[in-house]
Amino acid sequence: SPLHVEMVMEATIVCIDNSEFMRNGDFSPSRFESQQDAVTYLMNTKTRANVESSVGLIASAGKNVEVINTLTTDVGKILNGLHSVEIGGESNFASTLRIAALALRHRSNKRQEQRIVIFVGSPVSGDKRDLERLGAQLKKNAVAVDIVNFGEGSAEENTPLLQAFYDKVNNRDNSNFITLPPGETMLRNLLATTPIIRGNAPEGGDTGAGGTGGEDEFEFGFDPSSDPELAMAMRLSMQSAQAEASARGGEDGADGAAGAEGETGVDVMDVDGGDDDEMDADLLAALQLSMQGADAMDVEEKEEKDVGEEESEEEDSDEEMRLALEMSMQSAAVDQLKDSKTEEKKEDNAEDMESILADLPGVDTSDPEVQAVLESLKKEEEKK
């Protein structure tokens, strides 16, 4: 039968184990780095399967359970958050799941199916009955949970508690519980062979990450992992063709489909809103605080950008004023020089006339009439 991963529109919260146990070297180069690689592969798979799917990231250890990234379709942001996680403290399995469920409840697209993928590589603490109640609560809220149990020693110890939780949360095989043994094979490649990545595809034949068994085994006749961009383009083309076919199906058909979608959304919202009082208020506050922190970072970046633009505008304005001042000073200096030359010219003309009259025989330049003539000449020159 063909290998086909259903293109389900999901909101997925991935919970990474960043406890001190992640320093163990039973997976190469370490549990933590091998887990990061597997999480990267998982997120890329989820977002490529459906462009409307969103993913988020939670770190389960440290001082408190921390929401690294809320739900987003930008895998780049998730990867940046993933590589910012530091090892430390002990993992809290139950609190991590509760906060992940709250993050899913606040998803913007209520039509997305809810899923939590939690990596467990350290001992799970807690009472069996408490975990069973938590599993039943998540099942009631329509949240599917995939458990990746890995790590030498802790994986075997965790199996009874995790199995009890899985039995309560599983609803018609919508959840998965897998245990990955350590060895030479990378955690990512082990994960690629599981239903968490393959969906409901049968595992017959070679099911390795790059295994092939003929062109008919794949949805489009080739291995999507060999050319993800082409596979995504073909999926988008199929979705577009289906949307156009639905639009041409008639107004009645469209109204019927819209009605069905509306009913589904109401059901999901009703289920989501049923257990608010049962949720720990501190966990909700932790989620909101994390989301506010992300918004504050965006606001701070915007303010820094605005300040930079204002400083740039001020610098431009100062430069323009400096140039205008220089031009004004130059103009004033030119005018002053012209006036000075004009005055000098006037004085020279009067002095020349007086010198000429003094050289003439019989002319006394001190005579009042001669002085009156010279004064009148000076006044005419000033008028000019």
Side-chain angles (χ1 to χ4, degrees):
S1 55
L3 175 60
H4 174 69
V5 180
E6 296 182 0
M7 293 180 290
V8 180
M9 182 170 61
E10 284 187 333
T12 303
I13 296 292
V14 180
C15 306
I16 184 173
D17 189 338
N18 60 319
S19 66
E20 290 290 344
F21 285 85
M22 294 303 101
R23 301 186 191 276
N24 197 304
D26 52 350
F27 285 90
S28 179
S30 69
R31 284 188 191 179
F32 188 67
E33 291 176 85
S34 185
Q35 181 185 200
Q36 284 181 315
D37 183 45
V39 169
T40 301
Y41 177 63
L42 172 65
M43 290 181 171
N44 283 326
T45 301
K46 290 288 184 183
T47 53
R48 286 171 179 169
N50 192 309
V51 293
E52 294 184 90
S53 292
S54 58
V55 290
L57 182 66
I58 289 179
S60 64
K63 293 182 179 180
N64 297 295
V65 177
E66 183 181 1
V67 179
I68 305 299
N69 296 98
T70 54
L71 290 167
T72 178
T73 56
D74 188 347
V75 181
K77 290 183 179 179
I78 299 293
L79 296 181
N80 288 336
L82 175 62
H83 290 287
S84 71
V85 176
E86 297 180 354
I87 296 176
E90 296 182 358
S91 178
N92 192 324
F93 180 77
S95 294
T96 300
L97 288 172
R98 289 192 178 99
I99 291 179
L102 284 170
L104 289 172
R105 178 174 298 174
H106 288 82
R107 67 195 186 281
S108 58
N109 187 351
K110 299 298 182 181
R111 294 177 57 202
Q112 291 175 324
E113 295 186 9
Q114 305 173 88
R115 182 173 296 277
I116 300 171
V117 181
I118 182 165
F119 286 77
V120 183
S122 57
V124 175
S125 60
D127 183 74
K128 179 180 177 181
R129 285 178 294 180
D130 291 340
L131 292 179
E132 287 177 338
R133 282 195 292 269
L134 176 59
Q137 181 181 334
L138 292 172
K139 179 180 179 179
K140 181 180 179 181
N141 290 337
V143 179
V145 180
D146 293 335
I147 307 169
V148 181
N149 186 30
F150 69 104
E152 186 176 2
S154 57
E156 293 81 1
E157 296 173 5
N158 292 334
T159 298
L161 283 176
L162 295 178
Q163 186 66 51
F165 168 80
Y166 169 75
D167 291 340
K168 290 296 183 180
V169 77
N170 189 31
N171 183 16
R172 298 180 182 179
D173 295 328
N174 70 334
S175 300
N176 297 283
F177 173 35
I178 62 171
T179 299
L180 302 178
E184 296 181 359
T185 305
M186 297 178 64
L187 183 61
R188 164 184 174 172
N189 293 342
L190 292 172
L191 185 66
T193 66
T194 68
I196 294 176
I197 296 295
R198 296 171 56 88
N200 297 322
E203 294 195 19
D206 183 1
T207 58
T212 59
E215 292 184 354
D216 293 338
E217 289 189 4
F218 298 106
E219 181 182 1
F220 301 115
F222 67 95
D223 184 358
S225 63
S226 64
D227 194 342
E229 289 77 12
L230 178 59
M232 176 61 72
M234 296 184 71
R235 290 192 183 103
L236 290 174
S237 178
M238 288 178 60
Q239 290 177 350
S240 177
Q242 291 171 357
E244 291 178 0
S246 299
R248 291 195 299 266
E251 184 176 349
D252 294 339
D255 292 342
E261 290 175 0
E263 292 175 2
T264 303
V266 170
D267 290 342
V268 173
M269 292 177 69
D270 289 344
V271 171
D272 288 346
D275 296 323
D276 283 341
D277 294 337
E278 298 179 16
M279 286 294 180
D280 189 338
D282 292 338
L283 300 179
L284 178 59
L287 176 64
Q288 292 175 341
L289 189 62
S290 175
M291 295 174 70
Q292 289 171 1
D295 294 339
M297 289 179 65
D298 292 340
V299 171
E300 184 177 352
E301 291 177 357
K302 184 178 179 182
E303 289 178 351
E304 290 178 355
K305 182 179 179 182
D306 293 341
V307 169
E309 291 178 352
E310 290 176 1
E311 291 178 351
S312 178
E313 291 176 358
E314 291 177 358
E315 291 176 358
D316 293 341
S317 177
D318 292 342
E319 181 66 17
E320 291 176 358
M321 292 179 63
R322 187 182 66 81
L323 292 174
L325 182 60
E326 288 181 356
M327 293 176 65
S328 176
M329 293 174 65
Q330 291 174 358
S331 177
V334 170
D335 293 341
Q336 186 177 0
L337 181 61
K338 289 180 178 179
D339 293 340
S340 175
K341 289 183 176 180
T342 302
E343 291 295 330
E344 290 176 356
K345 185 176 180 181
K346 291 178 180 179
E347 293 176 359
D348 291 343
N349 290 340
E351 291 176 357
D352 290 343
M353 179 60 68
E354 189 174 355
S355 176
I356 293 171
L357 291 175
D359 292 337
L360 293 175
V363 178
D364 184 7
T365 55
S366 61
D367 185 87
E369 294 181 0
V370 175
Q371 289 294 327
V373 173
L374 291 174
E375 287 295 330
S376 65
L377 289 174
K378 287 182 180 180
K379 289 181 181 180
E380 290 180 1
E381 289 291 340
E382 288 177 357
K383 290 180 180 180
K384 293 179 181 181

